[in-house]
């Protein structure tokens, strides 16, 4: 078991493109840690740098109490599950799981014994003799996991572990992964582009963009207090409403409407400052009678989400998304008012995109 | 509905005409193809029948059955030995070519070198010169300088050198199709490059390796020029060269010996093909990614 500390980690490709750009991150022992970001943000490169599959350009990487910046992948005590699982097609399940032990020159009987034990733990009984090609996607994933944990690694790395499974299986596998990680207590880093997956699984999340870290925090922290507009827009199943606004007389002018400043930000802004006002669709109410703090609006699009409805409203010249309970569903063209929940509103600097409060 | 019966008459007769025309066309096509097939089959039939004929000629005729030709061939001191020599050369070249070819193809497939494809194409083009007629004088001189005339090492070097580029070219394609994640996975568990090649890459590229092995043996088996120039002693000659010596005292081609020897000459290649095909099989394990 070991924690991971990356200091000023840089991975530069030939041509000067930085896949990972001065990343500082400390992953604690036994933590379930998510690297989250859109495709091409460097999250997989960072994972592969931790594994040792990418040479680190500068900075340092410590796993446990050993500096492994330039160490070979095989001596880092890490195991990795690849996105395509990378199961060897010419070996049966047992040999696949036991392959790491074969490299460590463990005897064949002992190897098969360990493989069978690990396979049992991952409910792969009776599949030991099968070839990977004869397994379902979920089974293949469990074989890949079994192979990774068979050597009792210090660190387990998962590259998009759920992306090759179909939607229903993915939820099952998610629960399964979380249980497995808790049982083994192994430090686990996984890469995903799905914010819901990261929120559901991880103890802490690092949000990345263009090789740079945007924020590290618990799922609750990145959801409630995003560091900047990028994180605010990326986290959440419905992206946060981010509207350009201006500070005027200790209030906020959003288009034609004015709203109160988020609580506690009065001292942090100056008159006339350009800001971005953020509010999640879930924290806006749709009402049909005017009340204090309400902004008049007209419904333009209605999207059914099952238990709730996502409506797009035009408030003056601004567009907002509002999540409405299913029994209050309005029709396109309806006029009414939207009421933001003030304590949940956020303010970002329009220039730096950093959160003000 | 009333118009339908009136229409069916001409429609069916047109349809019948079309089927008849199609039928005739197919018969004609089949006859033509049979003739072409027979044309190609004639030499094969000669190859099988002539050795059993007491007086074979260059024309195809029902043999005057006898096994004398085989007895005569067995009396020839060099005939059977030359088949063995061919085997030594073929298998030797195969071992060199598959061993070095697999290593080189793996490296070529995985390491980025500027102008890599250019190098491969250039090698491929030049290789046809090495075992070809044009380079025979320089090849002979080099081998003489090396003191390897009348020595299998010299023949093996030249044959392997000529075949390797094609082998690397073909094997690289096989290895390109193996997902990198297989090797990276093995690397994470501490496997070195040779270990990865042996445990992961070679088993997956096995159909390619099997094909290359057979192809190399066939190439060497049929090669006349290189051993003819580089070997002196008759007891070192491979079968392809020995066949060249089967003349009667009057300088006529000895068709009895040649036909019998030709049959023996073609047998091992066929046997090797079937054995390798059975043992290794031309199956391919693809990647798993869905």
């Amino acid at each position: 078991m070991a924690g991971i500390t990356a200091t000023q980690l840089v991975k530069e490709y030939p041509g000067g493109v930085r896949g990972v750009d001065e990343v500082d991150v400390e992953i604690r022992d036994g933590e379930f840690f998510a690297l989250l970001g859109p495709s091409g943000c460097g999250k997989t490169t960072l994972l592969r740098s931790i594994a040792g599959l990418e040479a680190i350009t500068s900075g340092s990487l410590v796993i446990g109490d050993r500096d492994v910046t330039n160490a070979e992948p095989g001596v880092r005590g890490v195991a990795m599950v690849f996105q395509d699982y990378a199961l060897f097609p010419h070996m049966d399940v047992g040999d696949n799981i036991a392959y790491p032990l074969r490299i460590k020159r463990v005897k064949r009987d002992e190897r098969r014994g360990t493989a069978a034990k690990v396979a049992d733990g991952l409910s792969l009984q009776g599949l030991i003799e099968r070839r990977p090609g004869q397994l379902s996607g979920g089974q293949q994933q469990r074989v890949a996991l079994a192979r990774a944990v068979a050597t009792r690694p210090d660190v387990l790395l998962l590259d998009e572990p759920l992306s090759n499974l179909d939607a229903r299986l993915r939820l099952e596998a998610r629960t399964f992964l979380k249980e497995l990680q808790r049982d083994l207590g192994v430090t686990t880093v996984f890469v995903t582009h799905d914010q819901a997956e990261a929120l559901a699984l991880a103890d802490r999340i690092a949000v990345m963009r263009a090789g740079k870290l945007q924020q590290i925090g618990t799922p609750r922290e990145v959801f409630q207090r995003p560091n900047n507009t990028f994180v605010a827009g990326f986290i959440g199943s419905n992206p946060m409403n981010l509207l350009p606004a201006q500070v005027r007389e200790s209030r906020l002018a959003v288009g034609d409407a004015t709203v109160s400043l988020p609580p506690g930000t009065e001292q942090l802004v100056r008159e006339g400052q350009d800001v971005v006002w953020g509010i999640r669709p879930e924290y806006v109410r749709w009402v049909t009678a005017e009340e204090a703090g309400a902004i008049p609006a007209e419904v333009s699009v209605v999207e059914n989400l099952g238990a709730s409805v996502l409506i797009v409203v035009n408030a003056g010249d601004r567009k907002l998304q509002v999540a409405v309970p299913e029994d209050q569903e309005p029709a396109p063209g309806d006029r009414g008012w939207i009421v933001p929940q003030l304590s949940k509103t956020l303010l970002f600097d329009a220039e730096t995109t950093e959160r003000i409060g | 509905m009333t118009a339908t019966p009136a229409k069916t008459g001409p429609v069916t007769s047109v349809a019948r005409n079309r089927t008849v025309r199609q039928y005739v066309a197919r018969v004609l096509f089949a006859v033509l193809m049979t003739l072409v097939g027979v044309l190609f089959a004639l030499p094969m039939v000669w190859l099988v029948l002539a050795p059993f004929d007491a007086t074979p000629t260059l024309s195809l005729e029902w043999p005057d059955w006898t096994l004398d030709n085989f007895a005569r061939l067995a009396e020839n001191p060099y005939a059977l030995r030359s088949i063995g020599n061919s085997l030594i050369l073929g298998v030797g070249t195969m071992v060199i070519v598959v061993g070095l070819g697999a290593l080189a193809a793996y490296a070529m497939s995985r390491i980025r070198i500027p102008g890599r494809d250019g190098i491969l194409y250039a090698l491929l083009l030049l290789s046809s010169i090495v075992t070809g007629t044009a380079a025979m004088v320089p090849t002979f001189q080099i081998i003489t300088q090396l003191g390897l005339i009348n020595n299998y090492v010299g023949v093996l070097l030249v044959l392997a050198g000529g075949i390797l580029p094609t082998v690397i070219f073909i094997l690289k394609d096989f290895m390109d199709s193996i997902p990198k994640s297989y090797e990276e996975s093995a690397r994470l568990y501490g496997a070195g490059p040779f270990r990865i090649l042996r445990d992961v890459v070679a088993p997956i590229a096995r159909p390619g390796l099997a094909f290359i092995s057979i192809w190399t043996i066939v190439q060497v088996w049929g090669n006349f020029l290189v051993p003819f120039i580089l070997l002196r002693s008759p007891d070192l000659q491979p079968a392809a060269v020995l066949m060249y010596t089967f003349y009667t005292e009057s300088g006529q081609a000895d068709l009895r010996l040649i036909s019998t020897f030709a049959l023996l000459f073609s047998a091992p290649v066929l046997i090797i093909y079937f054995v390798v095909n059975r043992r290794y099989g031309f199956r391919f394990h693809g990647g798993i990614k869905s």
Side-chain angles (χ1 to χ4, degrees):
Chain A
M1 300 299 117
I4 305 168
T5 311
T7 316
Q8 286 293 298
L9 202 71
V10 174
K11 167 65 194 177
E12 198 171 291
Y13 288 108
V17 179
R18 285 189 168 188
V20 175
D21 197 357
E22 295 177 5
V23 165
D24 286 296
V25 60
E26 196 181 336
I27 299 163
R28 300 182 198 115
D29 187 8
E31 194 169 35
F32 204 171
F33 194 88
L35 296 173
L36 174 66
S39 44
C41 75
K43 54 192 191 298
T44 298
T45 312
L46 179 55
L47 191 80
R48 291 170 56 86
S49 303
I50 295 173
L53 295 172
E54 301 280 351
I56 292 164
T57 311
S58 68
S60 74
L61 180 73
V62 176
I63 296 179
D65 45 14
R66 279 190 313 145
D67 187 317
V68 293
T69 311
N70 297 310
E72 276 294 307
V75 301
R76 295 186 180 204
V78 300
M80 181 161 166
V81 174
F82 289 81
Q83 193 175 359
D84 61 0
Y85 309 139
L87 298 176
F88 305 132
H90 57 287
M91 298 183 192
D92 67 16
V93 167
D95 283 341
N96 259 294
I97 298 175
Y99 185 70
L101 301 169
R102 183 164 141 200
I103 293 176
K104 294 188 168 55
R105 296 180 197 290
V106 177
K107 288 213 175 55
R108 183 174 164 82
D109 293 341
E110 201 182 325
R111 245 163 40 203
R112 292 295 285 200
T114 312
K117 219 179 292 165
V118 177
D120 278 359
L122 286 151
S123 38
L124 289 164
Q125 300 91 331
L127 300 176
I128 290 289
E129 311 272 319
R130 298 258 191 104
R131 291 278 172 102
Q134 300 167 307
L135 301 180
S136 72
Q139 289 166 338
Q140 288 182 11
Q141 190 201 34
R142 292 207 297 278
V143 175
L145 276 169
R147 183 172 67 180
V149 301
T151 46
R152 310 218 140 267
D154 295 333
V155 172
L156 179 61
L157 306 174
L158 310 170
D159 187 5
E160 301 264 5
L162 304 176
S163 66
N164 272 358
L165 303 175
D166 53 55
R168 187 148 299 271
L169 202 54
R170 202 172 297 175
L171 289 182
E172 246 172 66
R174 203 155 87 178
T175 318
F176 177 81
L177 259 185
K178 186 133 191 166
E179 277 173 359
L180 180 75
Q181 198 271 340
R182 204 183 43 214
D183 292 349
L184 296 174
V186 59
T187 311
T188 306
V189 185
F190 78 104
V191 155
T192 179
H193 61 265
D194 181 351
Q195 54 84 31
E197 205 173 291
L199 291 177
L201 281 174
D203 296 327
R204 283 196 307 152
I205 299 172
V207 185
M208 290 182 72
R209 178 201 197 184
K212 285 189 183 290
L213 270 185
Q214 304 295 306
Q215 183 169 10
I216 300 180
T218 62
R220 204 155 293 287
E221 279 165 10
V222 292
F223 186 78
Q224 292 179 340
R225 315 289 291 166
N227 269 0
N228 54 36
T229 53
F230 171 77
V231 178
F234 195 76
I235 302 276
S237 43
N238 306 311
M240 188 184 277
N241 293 302
L242 294 165
L243 303 170
Q246 203 175 33
V247 181
R248 251 181 242 153
E249 296 161 3
S250 294
R251 281 179 69 78
L252 212 50
V254 187
D256 309 331
T258 57
V259 294
S260 301
L261 284 168
T265 59
E266 294 83 359
Q267 305 305 314
L268 302 172
V269 292
R270 51 173 206 283
E271 177 69 19
Q273 187 180 356
D274 285 322
V275 292
V276 174
W277 184 62
I279 177 80
R280 290 197 181 277
E282 293 82 359
Y283 300 143
V284 184
R285 278 184 304 127
W286 169 254
V287 292
T288 46
E290 188 168 7
E291 56 182 81
I295 305 164
E298 186 185 330
V299 179
S300 72
V301 179
V302 177
E303 288 175 28
N304 197 329
L305 302 179
S308 66
V309 178
L310 189 71
I311 60 172
V312 181
V313 300
N314 293 323
D317 53 352
R318 301 281 195 264
K319 271 190 196 306
L320 268 94
Q321 287 189 316
V322 180
V324 181
E326 55 185 330
D327 47 357
Q328 290 173 21
E329 180 179 337
D334 283 4
R335 288 173 177 281
W337 287 265
I338 51 172
V339 186
Q341 195 180 332
L342 265 190
S343 62
K344 302 284 190 187
T345 57
L346 297 170
L347 215 53
F348 300 92
D349 189 304
E351 260 171 61
T352 63
T353 76
E354 302 283 319
R355 179 166 52 79
I356 300 169
Chain B
M1 287 305 280
T2 45
T4 326
K7 256 188 181 172
T8 42
V11 167
T12 40
S13 84
V14 166
R16 197 178 302 135
N17 270 342
R18 196 181 298 142
T19 18
V20 168
R21 211 178 304 143
Q22 272 178 349
Y23 187 71
V24 171
R26 285 188 66 169
V27 168
L28 282 177
F29 184 73
V31 169
L32 191 73
M33 284 300 118
T34 311
L35 283 176
V36 174
V38 166
L39 207 63
F40 278 98
L42 285 178
M44 304 291 161
V45 178
W46 185 87
L47 182 67
V48 177
L49 292 184
F52 300 97
D53 195 341
T55 52
T57 61
L58 282 176
S59 58
L60 188 64
E61 54 200 33
W62 193 247
D64 185 5
W65 294 101
T66 173
L67 286 175
D68 277 359
N69 298 340
F70 288 93
R72 264 195 64 203
L73 191 69
E75 283 165 21
N76 188 308
Y78 301 116
L80 285 178
R81 179 185 286 191
S82 76
I83 300 263
N85 291 342
S86 278
L87 272 179
I88 293 171
L89 284 180
V91 173
T93 314
M94 182 201 86
V95 169
I96 298 173
V97 158
V98 172
L100 294 182
L103 291 175
Y106 180 47
M108 280 290 197
S109 165
R110 292 305 188 241
I111 298 171
R112 297 215 139 273
I113 314 166
R116 177 183 63 184
D117 290 351
I119 295 173
L120 275 174
Y121 277 109
L123 277 176
L124 198 61
L125 278 177
L126 292 175
S127 72
S128 55
I129 298 174
V130 173
T131 45
T133 326
M136 269 308 124
V137 173
T139 305
F140 180 78
Q141 281 180 333
I142 292 172
I143 299 297
T144 310
Q145 296 276 309
L146 289 171
L148 293 175
I149 289 292
N150 206 25
N151 186 329
Y152 275 168
V153 177
V155 183
L156 288 174
L157 282 179
V158 175
L159 286 173
I163 292 171
L164 257 177
T166 318
V167 165
I168 295 171
F169 197 80
I170 295 171
L171 281 183
K172 178 185 164 286
D173 236 33
F174 267 93
M175 294 191 176
D176 281 348
S177 69
I178 300 173
K180 271 196 177 146
S181 58
Y182 290 177
E183 296 153 61
E184 288 175 340
S185 187
R187 249 182 95 193
L188 278 174
Y189 300 120
F194 281 99
R195 185 93 215 218
I196 294 172
L197 185 66
R198 200 185 73 201
D199 289 353
V200 180
V201 178
I204 297 175
R206 198 171 65 173
L209 295 173
F211 163 72
I212 287 301
S213 309
I214 294 174
W215 183 79
T216 303
I217 290 182
V218 171
Q219 290 287 310
V220 174
W221 198 260
N223 193 304
F224 169 78
L225 197 59
V226 176
F228 178 69
I229 288 173
L230 299 180
L231 294 176
R232 288 276 156 270
S233 330
D235 53 346
L236 288 181
Q237 302 288 6
V241 177
L242 193 78
M243 202 182 303
Y244 181 65
T245 63
F246 289 150
Y247 285 92
T248 56
E249 289 79 359
S250 56
Q252 292 277 315
D254 187 343
L255 283 180
R256 292 173 66 191
L257 274 185
I258 289 180
S259 64
T260 314
F261 193 66
L263 188 65
L264 274 184
F265 180 59
S266 55
V269 175
L270 285 174
I271 292 169
I272 288 171
Y273 171 80
F274 285 117
V275 167
V276 174
N277 193 21
R278 256 194 109 119
R279 175 84 173 74
Y280 295 102
F282 292 102
R283 287 172 287 140
F284 185 65
H285 307 291
I288 315 176
K289 178 152 186 164
S290 46

